[in-house]
Amino acid sequence: MSIKDLLTEDMKQAMKDKESGKLRLSVIRMARANIKNIEIDEKRELNDDEVLAVLMKEVKMRQDSLEEFTKAGREELAEQAKQEIAILRKYLPEQLSDEELKALVEEAVAETGAAGPKDMGKVMAALMPKTKGRADGKRINTMVRELLK
């Protein structure tokens, strides 16, 4: 079952759940709308990898909002953002642990023969396809910087 089909099925279930599924329904509808808008703009169906990219972007936006809400002391909005992130994460692949990510970074450094910070672009280019959807780019970037010091 594709991610889009899973979103549709979960949306139907959230509608049946009435009160308990309101937030879930809202988040799924927003994600589906963003996917549909991109499909309309590009005049084609998105594949699962592209749908994953849209969902990752949704999570990233909510994480940024979460940080801002926390800074501003808006706990109720921060809690809602956390819940929305949890709902969206259900559709993303399992995130890499720090140890797994570090192993992938070390492997990419060895593959590219990176010697210092100036080779960061090469390492990131080799690493991003391997971590697609399983780690945040900011987290990857930080780990690569630490290893290339």
Side-chain angles (χ1 to χ4, degrees):
M1 178 181 280
S2 74
I3 297 172
K4 283 175 33 178
D5 294 339
L6 184 59
L7 282 166
T8 303
E9 291 302 312
D10 285 354
M11 184 180 77
K12 289 176 187 175
Q13 187 58 47
M15 282 189 234
K16 291 176 186 173
D17 293 346
K18 302 252 190 250
E19 283 302 313
S20 64
K22 268 188 174 175
L23 179 64
R24 196 170 87 224
L25 178 61
S26 166
V27 171
I28 292 171
R29 279 185 172 159
M30 190 175 305
R32 289 187 70 230
N34 287 335
I35 292 165
K36 191 71 176 165
N37 286 338
I38 292 171
E39 288 179 339
I40 290 169
D41 289 346
E42 296 185 7
K43 296 177 177 62
R44 66 181 179 83
E45 290 277 320
L46 296 181
N47 63 33
D48 269 357
D49 285 342
E50 293 165 325
V51 171
L52 268 179
V54 173
L55 294 176
M56 286 173 26
K57 186 176 178 183
E58 289 291 314
V59 169
K60 176 80 171 109
M61 286 178 7
R62 283 165 176 80
Q63 286 174 332
D64 293 344
S65 297
L66 177 62
E67 288 175 23
E68 293 302 316
F69 293 147
T70 305
K71 283 182 193 173
R74 300 291 308 267
E75 291 307 315
E76 71 284 352
L77 293 174
E79 186 57 38
Q80 181 178 343
K82 285 178 190 173
Q83 291 173 355
E84 291 176 2
I85 290 168
I87 292 167
L88 289 169
R89 283 244 163 93
K90 175 183 175 199
Y91 304 100
L92 297 176
E94 190 172 324
Q95 297 293 299
L96 291 170
S97 69
D98 286 341
E99 296 79 31
E100 293 169 320
L101 183 57
K102 187 171 183 175
L104 284 173
V105 170
E106 288 170 348
E107 182 182 309
V109 167
E111 274 178 25
T112 59
K118 68 181 184 303
D119 296 327
M120 188 165 170
K122 288 185 214 172
V123 176
M124 291 297 286
L127 196 56
M128 290 311 281
K130 295 177 185 176
T131 60
K132 190 169 195 116
R134 299 185 312 150
D136 180 49
K138 193 176 192 180
R139 194 171 143 221
I140 297 168
N141 189 311
T142 303
M143 195 160 287
V144 170
R145 280 184 196 275
E146 285 176 20
L147 287 174
L148 290 179
K149 282 184 182 176

